[in-house]
Amino acid sequence: MAPLRFSANVSWLFPELPGLPARLRAAGSSGFEAAEVAWPYAEPPEALARAAQDAGLQLVLINTPPGDREEGEMGLGAVPGRQAAFREGLEQAVLYAKALGCPRIHLMAGRVPRGADRAAVRGEMETVFLENLRHAADVLARENLVGLLEPINTRITDPQYFLDSPQQAAAILQKVGRPNLQLQMDIFHWQIMDGNLTGNIREFLPIVGHVQVAQVPGRGDPGSPGELNFPYLFQLLEDEACKGFVG
């Protein structure tokens, strides 16, 4: 079986360093061969590509833009009335992914609108998400890119996030039915929402395109104190033939 391939998430790692180029250099110096970044858009793509190349890193994941952070947005994929902004953000993400040689883009679902009842708007938000994902799959396919859906826990991290469980994400992926859309598994979020990591990893890993890890509850690195047994989890991922990178 192939060993796991690890990626440095420089949006979280090396916080003492200002700017993504410096963090990429630190990741390379620490022995990583791959890196990922949530939102690279404050830096010119050419500068980031050069920094990654100089550090000997392959960039493996970026996110679509979050939208208007001052208005509380955290992604736009499922947000009613923001379809045009989602598609503009997707075009920007594709431009960066191509410049960076990055094969995967996390298509952020976004939050339930302020003041709305989650149950009341769930159907409308899923309809919007399906429409946007079909559009995104077509755009990404033309560039040989993969789109990822990441459930984010609503117990602690983001109570208003629309997509919060692997079951919900897998059902949406099945409805869209596009091979270049896959699941992004963040073990931190999955543990908080549902636990049952062994069963969920075995069930959903065949449709997972990227894995992320952090300790629970503090969201520190795998070596920090917490409730997750990472030697066991890493061995499980290896035994189950995890194909993506582990961030």
Side-chain angles (χ1 to χ4, degrees):
M1 68 191 76
L4 297 179
R5 299 179 297 166
F6 288 95
S7 163
N9 189 332
V10 295
S11 294
W12 288 86
L13 294 173
F14 315 108
E16 70 281 2
L17 298 176
L20 293 174
R23 294 184 181 193
L24 290 169
R25 288 190 291 270
S29 298
S30 299
F32 285 97
E33 297 179 356
E36 58 197 77
V37 55
W39 298 301
Y41 307 108
E43 305 271 0
E46 298 79 11
L48 285 178
R50 188 164 52 249
Q53 185 176 21
D54 291 345
L57 292 170
Q58 175 190 2
L59 278 162
V60 298
L61 177 67
I62 62 173
N63 294 355
T64 48
D68 189 338
R69 297 293 297 274
E70 292 186 2
E71 291 297 318
E73 291 183 329
M74 183 59 72
L76 301 171
V79 181
R82 296 289 275 153
Q83 289 93 322
F86 170 80
R87 294 181 183 203
E88 289 173 11
L90 176 66
E91 295 296 334
Q92 185 182 22
V94 168
L95 185 152
Y96 268 75
K98 290 171 64 178
L100 298 171
C102 177
R104 298 170 197 83
I105 299 174
H106 167 205
L107 306 170
M108 298 194 72
R111 291 170 170 157
V112 174
R114 287 174 177 169
D117 176 73
R118 175 182 292 273
V121 299
R122 182 183 179 103
E124 180 187 7
M125 291 189 73
E126 180 172 305
T127 297
V128 170
F129 203 21
L130 292 170
E131 174 189 321
N132 280 334
L133 290 174
R134 292 184 182 108
H135 169 80
D138 291 339
V139 171
L140 296 174
R142 290 196 290 269
E143 305 295 345
N144 198 30
L145 298 171
V146 171
L148 299 173
L149 275 61
E150 180 190 18
I152 293 176
N153 83 80
T154 50
R155 294 186 190 274
I156 298 172
T157 302
D158 197 336
Q160 292 302 108
Y161 206 75
F162 171 69
L163 193 69
D164 68 355
S165 75
Q167 292 83 4
Q168 180 190 10
I172 287 172
L173 286 170
Q174 186 172 27
K175 290 177 182 178
V176 178
R178 301 295 179 88
N180 65 330
L181 298 183
Q182 298 173 351
L183 183 61
Q184 182 171 321
M185 172 171 63
D186 189 324
I187 285 176
F188 170 81
H189 294 304
W190 288 28
Q191 168 68 3
I192 290 171
M193 285 304 293
D194 193 40
N196 187 33
L197 288 178
T198 299
N200 283 335
I201 288 170
R202 286 176 172 156
E203 178 178 357
F204 295 110
L205 195 62
I207 60 170
V208 167
H210 188 80
V211 178
Q212 292 178 326
V213 298
Q215 187 55 274
V216 178
R219 212 170 188 178
D221 65 67
S224 60
E227 63 193 56
L228 295 181
N229 179 352
F230 277 104
Y232 170 82
L233 291 171
F234 289 152
Q235 188 62 57
L236 176 64
L237 288 170
E238 201 168 289
D239 290 346
E240 296 296 319
C242 174
K243 298 181 181 66
F245 282 87
V246 178

